[in-house]
Amino acid sequence: MAQLILMPDKERSALKRHPWLFAGSVGRLVGRARAGDTVEVLADDGRPLGRAAYSPQSQIRARFWTFDAAETVDDAFFKRRIATAVARRAALPELTGQEGLRLVHAESDGLPGVIADRYGDTVVVQLTSAGADKWRSAIVAGLVKATGCDRVYERSDSDVRGLEGLAPTTGWIHGTAPSVPLSIGENAVRLGVDIAGGHKTGFYLDQRENRRLLAELAGEKEVLNCFCYTGGFSLQALAGGAANVLSIDSSGPALAQARANLALNPHLPGVRAEWLEADVFQALRDFRKEGRQFDLIVLDPPKFAPSAAHADRASRAYKDINLLGCRLLRPGGLLMTYSCSGGIGLELFQKIVAGAALDAGRDARIVRRLAGSADHPVALNFPEGEYLKGLLVQVD
Ligand code: SAH
């Protein structure tokens, strides 16, 4: 096995069990290693730090598989790590029995570059790093073994693969396509999931708990759901007894799936749902001119800031929609507002929302802080894993 020797005094983050080694902290490679190969990581003084996947093309030059320098990285390693990740979910009552469930949340489950989501009896896997890509068959075997599922679909088409020198790869990697369209039950609502063409692995499982909260809050309210995608929040609002729900997205296919999802739920009052294909920024401005008002507004936009470098522009976009959101709320209304940008921390997001309320001339208070569901845990040694943050704000 090749050895990756760090620069002097660059072992601190590894000693704190942070899984990434940036190019700037790497001194030299002793021996030969190709992308995805496992290397032994040593401090400059020769102290062993663990074993990592080498990624010569990426600024993240290596990702630790293990901080135990004696642990072998082989098929059995992936089987163990995946079984542990699945067991973590099984131990949390709120997750047991969920048909849609994130089984492996990458770094936070000790498996950098590995995402695995379960939709019924189908697992969708996304491999985003050279190391994860290299171990694809062990990972698939581990998922099949840990879940008993006999279908695994690969959705390795995320942009970040390019940074690792990997081409996009999609398709059935184990088993064959199910004969009926995939759907999951979530909080008493049924939702179709397009694993081949949908966003991420097909669905935003990270918002499951927040959608449940919306159902609790929506009774009798006029709800506006911005960036509705396939209608997850919209259907929960209907299930919670909303007076009506107006949902906006700029994607025609997402709205078509949202309508199809509503049709899957004949118990919901579909007449109270309205779908609008539009740009949210424009639609909110138009509503303002028309003097329209709502009791509860959900803002769950796409990632405006993929990294801290985009934080300035993204901050303006978050400010804009939150400002418009505050203006469209009746006195006492609720704003459920999110950012899934890794580049925008919770503190900054709160400042942005505060600035938006101030500019809207509205006093407002945080009544709840919101985060991703429990199947998207954040490892304490990997704070970067905390991408989704939200605030429930009551506006005077
Ligand atoms: N809340 C959803 C997930 C939202 S994902 C859920 O719980 O499932 C973000 C969505 O924003 C995508 O569906 C995308 O099509 C949409 N979108 C992106 N930019 C937009 C814009 N400017 N106006 C309207 N929709 C937009």
Side-chain angles (χ1 to χ4, degrees):
M1 203 185 315
Q3 294 184 323
L4 199 63
I5 320 279
L6 301 190
M7 303 275 271
D9 302 321
K10 289 293 185 189
E11 65 274 20
R12 269 188 39 172
S13 97
L15 292 173
K16 290 188 193 159
R17 302 171 81 90
H18 192 282
W20 292 350
L21 283 174
F22 285 97
S25 59
V26 169
R28 62 191 195 279
L29 181 73
V30 180
R32 285 171 64 87
R34 282 170 307 177
D37 284 352
T38 304
V39 293
E40 237 172 330
V41 182
L42 304 172
D44 176 63
D45 62 7
R47 175 175 174 175
L49 297 169
R51 290 177 176 179
Y54 185 54
S55 199
Q57 292 209 25
S58 172
Q59 274 309 300
I60 305 176
R61 192 52 49 86
R63 291 174 172 79
F64 276 99
W65 289 127
T66 174
F67 296 96
D68 173 355
E71 190 174 21
T72 306
V73 179
D74 55 7
D75 287 16
F77 169 87
F78 288 96
K79 202 176 277 179
R80 281 196 308 276
R81 282 278 160 106
I82 290 168
T84 304
V86 170
R88 276 184 195 122
R89 275 100 184 136
L92 293 173
E94 67 176 285
L95 296 180
T96 48
Q98 290 293 349
E99 289 175 43
L101 186 69
R102 174 148 298 189
L103 301 170
V104 179
H105 191 45
E107 277 81 352
S108 291
D109 279 302
L111 288 166
V114 184
I115 299 282
D117 291 339
R118 177 177 186 158
Y119 301 109
D121 66 354
T122 298
V123 176
V124 183
V125 70
Q126 187 166 71
L127 307 172
T128 60
S129 66
D133 197 75
K134 168 119 186 163
W135 288 98
R136 57 176 51 243
S137 20
I139 291 164
V140 171
L143 287 166
V144 170
K145 169 102 172 123
T147 60
C149 293
D150 53 9
R151 307 172 199 285
V152 183
Y153 188 81
E154 179 169 12
R155 264 306 290 277
S156 299
D157 55 357
S158 143
D159 293 343
V160 295
R161 271 175 76 91
L163 303 174
E164 300 274 312
L166 301 166
T169 310
T170 57
W172 291 98
I173 188 168
H174 181 88
T176 50
S179 50
V180 290
L182 265 184
S183 71
I184 55 167
E186 183 191 88
N187 309 323
V189 158
R190 186 139 290 275
L191 297 153
V193 179
D194 177 3
I195 57 170
H199 294 179
K200 306 223 273 190
T201 64
F203 192 58
Y204 290 86
L205 291 168
D206 52 359
Q207 290 284 28
R208 180 194 311 106
E209 270 309 290
N210 296 321
R211 287 189 286 258
R212 196 184 53 76
L213 173 64
L214 179 64
E216 283 172 17
L217 297 170
E220 316 281 310
K221 297 210 162 66
E222 270 193 69
V223 177
L224 174 64
N225 179 18
C226 299
F227 310 96
C228 70
Y229 187 49
T230 58
F233 278 104
S234 315
L235 269 54
Q236 290 303 332
L238 291 175
N244 53 66
V245 183
L246 171 56
S247 307
I248 311 176
D249 203 282
S250 55
S251 157
L255 286 170
Q257 176 82 62
R259 284 197 170 90
N261 284 343
L262 181 58
L264 286 176
N265 294 274
H267 62 291
L268 295 180
V271 291
R272 298 187 187 172
E274 193 188 331
W275 310 98
L276 179 62
E277 184 174 335
D279 171 53
V280 164
F281 293 83
Q282 190 55 49
L284 296 188
R285 283 195 185 91
D286 293 347
F287 291 164
R288 169 90 178 133
K289 279 189 213 133
E290 295 159 13
R292 284 190 74 163
Q293 297 230 284
F294 301 88
D295 304 309
L296 201 170
I297 298 179
V298 180
L299 298 173
D300 184 24
K303 211 190 296 178
F304 291 146
S307 75
H310 305 80
D312 274 356
R313 244 189 83 191
S315 298
R316 281 194 292 278
Y318 286 116
K319 168 94 178 272
D320 260 11
I321 50 169
N322 281 282
L323 170 60
L324 289 160
C326 285
R327 287 193 163 142
L328 293 174
L329 278 172
R330 296 198 174 93
L334 290 170
L335 184 68
M336 194 183 233
T337 180
Y338 299 93
S339 162
C340 61
S341 294
I344 304 271
L346 179 58
E347 210 179 322
L348 174 56
F349 185 58
Q350 187 171 321
K351 274 192 191 142
I352 293 168
V353 176
L358 189 67
D359 286 8
R362 307 287 290 266
D363 276 333
R365 45 203 46 74
I366 296 168
V367 291
R368 257 212 226 204
R369 291 171 195 282
L370 309 167
S373 310
D375 47 344
H376 295 60
V378 182
L380 286 169
N381 55 332
F382 186 64
E384 291 86 343
E386 183 147 41
Y387 64 99
L388 180 61
K389 69 268 326 166
L391 297 171
L392 182 64
V393 176
Q394 199 169 33
V395 178
D396 286 355

